[in-house]
Amino acid sequence: MLTLQKPHRHVETVIHSEVLIDCRIENLYYGDFRAIRDCDLSIERGKITAFIGPSGCGKSTVLRCMNRMNDLVQGFRIDGQIHFQGQDIYHPSVDPVAVRRHIGMVFQQPNPFAMSIYKNVAFGLKLNRVKDDIPGRVEDALRRAGLWDEVKDKLKSSALALSGGQQQRLCIARAIATEPQVLLMDEPCSALDPIATRRIEELMLQLKERYTIVIVTHNLHQAQRIADKTAFMYVDTSNSSRTGFLVEYADTHRLFNHPQQEYTLQYLRGEFS
Amino acid sequence: MNSPATTTADINTPLNIKWSLRHRSTLVSVGLSGLTYFIAVVACIPLFSVLTMLIWRGGQHLSLRLFTETPPSAFAEGGGFGNAIVGTIVMVGIAALISVPCGIMGAIVLAECGPESRTATIVRFCAKLLTGFPSILAGVFTYASVVLVTGTYSAPAGGIALSILMLPIVMLTAEEAMKSVPRKMREAAYGMGATQTQVIWHVILPTALPSMLTGVMLAVARAAGETAPLLFTALNSNYWIIQDGQQALMEPTASLAVLIYNFSGVPFKNQLELAWAAALVLVLLVLTVNLCGRALADSQKHY
């Protein structure tokens, strides 16, 4: 008995420390439209996981399920569960607002508030009723987002006056100021030039030490450069509908060099229109 | 099919890219541009002629005593309408105190709590109807529901009548202002774990504030100029709201609009001149409030 239980326990603890988000989506609807089917994957703690795939395959939708941002869309419905640290975040007893405080988000378009740079970063602290040492926390978040040296002399000026790349780093600073466990990034570089993109990528590799990052990207090279694991999604256009599904999920190196699925191979070769 | 396009000019003819009125489309374009400028100027004529008239007829009677004295009797000389200025400010103030909170809260329902819901649709429709509501009916309604109940004409009754007219303007402009807050800003706030209350209070209201203030200013300007509702509710008075240390809030109250109405139809020269001066003061008052509101709105932008 003892010898049987011990390994079992051991396995369980390993799984617990590794898997942070366990995503089991059977079907996902917007009204009558089935947007996603069969998307099962596990996000591992402390890694960067990338979602790739053609436009409209539901990468962003899956990402937005992980902190219940889709709840804001009318007609949204999900069959399945998403477990975050072992708790189903779609259970009726779960407050979506509380989920979002643990799982932060950075969007495709930089979206700072129409406030000063300082207030943008302090915003999340205010939401979480953090009272002590707000200036210190703001500085720390801006430093970690690699923005401090550029903005330290103009913290009181409008965030909207910053360049696109700076705005996006400000949004990252704003998201990490409240110390979430996971950072969801929805094509964070698609509105930025290559230099700003490079800086955000470097930033992600630094942030990986403290946060688990999930990123949606259109840029295959970006996924290869930064992601530990990559999920490839594709869209099923049979039955005159467009339903996204997960094709393959593996270590980035393996997915790009030895894809197991025909779809993945064709997509990586650029054989889809 | 693969040959170069032949419809463009021959490569040997000189390139002609100069303006020329010989082309029909250019002629039409220039003509229409001229017409729009002309009509724009024509549209401004009423405003400027009224302003010129007011400054010319009212300006020469402007003096400090207008603001410090009460209206003269029929054959008397001098006098002013300080009590009417105070009355207008007090009643518009009461109206704003009622209509701005109600209007903004209504707008939050319309813009944020299910814009497509049945309630919102009905409320929005009613508000639009109310914008075209005849102001005299607002007066009659308030007369029946406030003046008859309290048994007296009063400043609060006037304020309530004006608030009925201000409410839909405040509400609909505030709704538009909130709707124009970019979706991505809302998403950012929700994405950080803000509740709906926090999103509205910390993001949407501050961002929409400048445009909402514009709506409030519009409503104030309209209310300040209304006469009909006040005839039934505040009536008129030749005394100050606070006189000899006694407040007379629950008494008939003077207002600029009613004073202009009363004095513009009389045969007495002094009172007629006062009516002109009062009209000018009313316009200046509304203008000042507008400019202050604009300046306040600008100072709030982006912070």
Side-chain angles (χ1 to χ4, degrees):
Chain A
M1 287 291 274
L2 266 170
T3 45
L4 265 177
Q5 265 186 350
K6 255 189 174 170
H8 181 228
R9 256 195 195 157
H10 176 71
V11 168
E12 212 175 56
T13 47
V14 167
I15 288 173
H16 243 83
S17 65
E18 289 281 302
V19 174
L20 191 59
I21 301 179
D22 186 28
C23 182
R24 300 267 169 266
I25 304 175
E26 284 165 37
N27 288 299
L28 185 151
Y29 301 89
Y30 290 124
D32 293 334
F33 171 64
R34 185 163 76 154
I36 307 277
R37 67 170 169 82
D38 306 317
C39 182
D40 294 2
L41 54 86
S42 305
I43 307 295
E44 291 173 19
R45 189 192 292 274
K47 293 198 170 159
I48 298 182
T49 305
F51 277 83
I52 59 170
S55 294
C57 71
K59 311 178 289 287
S60 295
T61 300
V62 172
L63 190 78
R64 282 160 173 259
C65 281
M66 292 181 191
N67 70 345
R68 294 196 60 171
M69 280 302 280
N70 280 332
D71 288 33
L72 304 176
V73 181
Q74 281 221 321
F76 165 78
R77 199 153 44 83
I78 184 170
D79 287 347
Q81 296 112 38
I82 295 179
H83 283 89
F84 171 57
Q85 291 192 336
Q87 281 192 62
D88 180 10
I89 59 169
Y90 280 94
H91 193 273
S93 65
V94 169
D95 177 7
V97 169
V99 172
R100 294 182 202 129
R101 293 195 177 172
H102 293 285
I103 306 181
M105 187 145 198
V106 175
F107 296 81
Q108 181 172 1
Q109 291 285 330
N111 54 359
F113 300 122
M115 310 169 184
S116 68
I117 294 168
Y118 180 88
K119 281 187 180 170
N120 260 281
V121 183
F123 183 85
L125 300 171
K126 202 159 73 176
L127 290 187
N128 284 302
R129 308 205 183 288
V130 175
K131 293 271 156 55
D132 59 307
D133 193 27
I134 290 184
R137 288 168 195 268
V138 169
E139 178 179 338
D140 185 44
L142 284 168
R143 274 188 197 284
R144 276 187 283 144
L147 193 61
W148 176 251
D149 291 332
E150 290 158 65
V151 302
K152 63 184 175 201
D153 299 324
K154 50 176 182 177
L155 289 174
K156 290 254 183 313
S157 59
S158 171
L160 301 182
L162 296 173
S163 73
Q166 290 174 324
Q167 286 190 4
Q168 196 61 302
R169 275 180 282 145
L170 178 66
C171 292
I172 294 174
R174 185 175 66 183
I176 60 179
T178 54
E179 298 286 340
Q181 299 183 40
V182 184
L183 215 50
L184 305 178
M185 305 180 105
D186 190 355
E187 297 183 37
C189 303
S190 65
L192 306 180
D193 65 50
I195 295 168
T197 300
R198 192 78 224 170
R199 295 208 60 172
I200 303 260
E201 285 178 10
E202 284 163 7
L203 181 57
M204 278 188 263
L205 291 172
Q206 288 164 17
L207 292 175
K208 184 175 123 172
E209 289 169 9
R210 283 173 78 158
Y211 310 99
T212 304
I213 296 177
V214 186
I215 176 175
V216 166
T217 178
H218 264 121
N219 185 336
L220 298 181
H221 296 298
Q222 184 170 59
Q224 275 179 296
R225 283 194 295 264
I226 59 171
D228 300 299
K229 299 198 78 172
T230 301
F232 171 61
M233 290 185 70
Y234 194 60
V235 58
D236 176 3
T237 48
S238 60
N239 306 324
S240 68
S241 131
R242 294 182 63 84
T243 306
F245 63 101
L246 180 69
V247 177
E248 192 168 349
Y249 177 49
D251 288 341
T252 301
H253 185 269
R254 187 178 145 92
L255 186 115
F256 277 92
N257 295 297
H258 310 287
Q260 302 293 304
Q261 302 288 326
E262 192 61 24
Y263 277 138
T264 319
L265 192 63
Q266 286 178 358
Y267 183 74
L268 295 177
R269 281 195 193 141
E271 286 175 14
F272 291 126
S273 55
Chain B
M1 281 311 240
N2 283 334
S3 63
T6 47
T7 49
T8 50
D10 194 303
I11 201 145
N12 294 320
T13 57
L15 182 65
N16 185 5
I17 50 171
K18 299 254 165 60
W19 275 103
S20 164
L21 283 178
R22 266 177 300 163
H23 299 298
R24 216 179 98 100
S25 54
T26 315
L27 210 60
V28 169
S29 174
V30 169
L32 285 179
S33 300
L35 192 67
T36 47
Y37 279 110
F38 174 72
I39 292 175
V41 170
V42 169
C44 292
I45 287 177
L47 174 67
F48 284 105
S49 58
V50 168
L51 278 182
T52 321
M53 196 72 176
L54 277 182
I55 292 167
W56 179 52
R57 298 290 295 269
Q60 47 188 306
H61 305 297
L62 273 190
S63 67
L64 210 58
R65 84 180 145 77
L66 295 181
F67 300 90
T68 55
E69 291 181 18
T70 51
S73 55
F75 294 100
E77 284 299 309
F81 42 74
N83 62 333
I85 297 177
V86 174
T88 290
I89 291 173
V90 166
M91 286 190 285
V92 172
I94 292 172
L97 277 182
I98 299 170
S99 63
V100 171
C102 292
I104 288 175
M105 281 193 268
I108 288 173
V109 173
L110 293 187
E112 297 300 319
C113 313
E116 305 306 326
S117 71
R118 233 184 129 68
T119 329
T121 316
I122 294 171
V123 170
R124 193 179 296 119
F125 180 70
C126 291
K128 282 180 182 162
L129 277 185
L130 203 55
T131 44
F133 196 61
S135 57
I136 189 127
L137 290 185
V140 174
F141 166 76
T142 314
Y143 176 79
S145 58
V146 180
V147 176
L148 289 185
V149 172
T150 56
T152 171
Y153 295 104
S154 62
I160 290 170
L162 293 180
S163 73
I164 297 174
L165 300 171
M166 285 175 70
L167 183 65
I169 306 177
V170 173
M171 188 151 97
L172 294 174
T173 50
E175 185 202 357
E176 282 310 311
M178 287 183 208
K179 277 187 176 164
S180 66
V181 173
R183 207 179 107 91
K184 58 180 192 174
M185 260 183 222
R186 270 160 231 263
E187 283 199 323
Y190 280 115
M192 299 188 68
T195 61
Q196 192 176 30
T197 315
Q198 288 169 326
V199 173
I200 292 171
W201 190 249
H202 295 298
V203 176
I204 293 175
L205 286 181
T207 313
L209 191 66
S211 326
M212 290 198 310
L213 270 175
T214 311
V216 172
M217 292 304 132
L218 270 177
V220 164
R222 169 158 189 209
E226 280 294 346
T227 319
L230 297 181
L231 288 175
F232 287 92
T233 51
L235 208 64
N236 199 1
S237 158
N238 281 335
Y239 307 102
W240 296 86
I241 274 190
I242 295 173
Q243 189 140 2
D244 307 328
Q246 293 259 306
Q247 59 90 16
L249 206 61
M250 293 310 287
E251 302 282 332
T253 306
S255 59
L256 282 172
V258 173
L259 181 117
I260 296 167
Y261 171 77
N262 283 342
F263 281 5
S264 60
V266 296
F268 311 110
K269 188 165 170 286
N270 185 34
Q271 292 191 345
L272 272 174
E273 283 168 354
L274 277 179
W276 279 109
L280 182 63
V281 168
L282 182 58
V283 168
L284 291 179
L285 203 66
V286 170
L287 201 68
T288 315
V289 171
N290 260 307
L291 290 179
C292 291
R294 201 59 65 78
L296 190 69
D298 283 345
S299 71
Q300 292 292 314
K301 255 178 202 166
H302 302 330
Y303 287 96

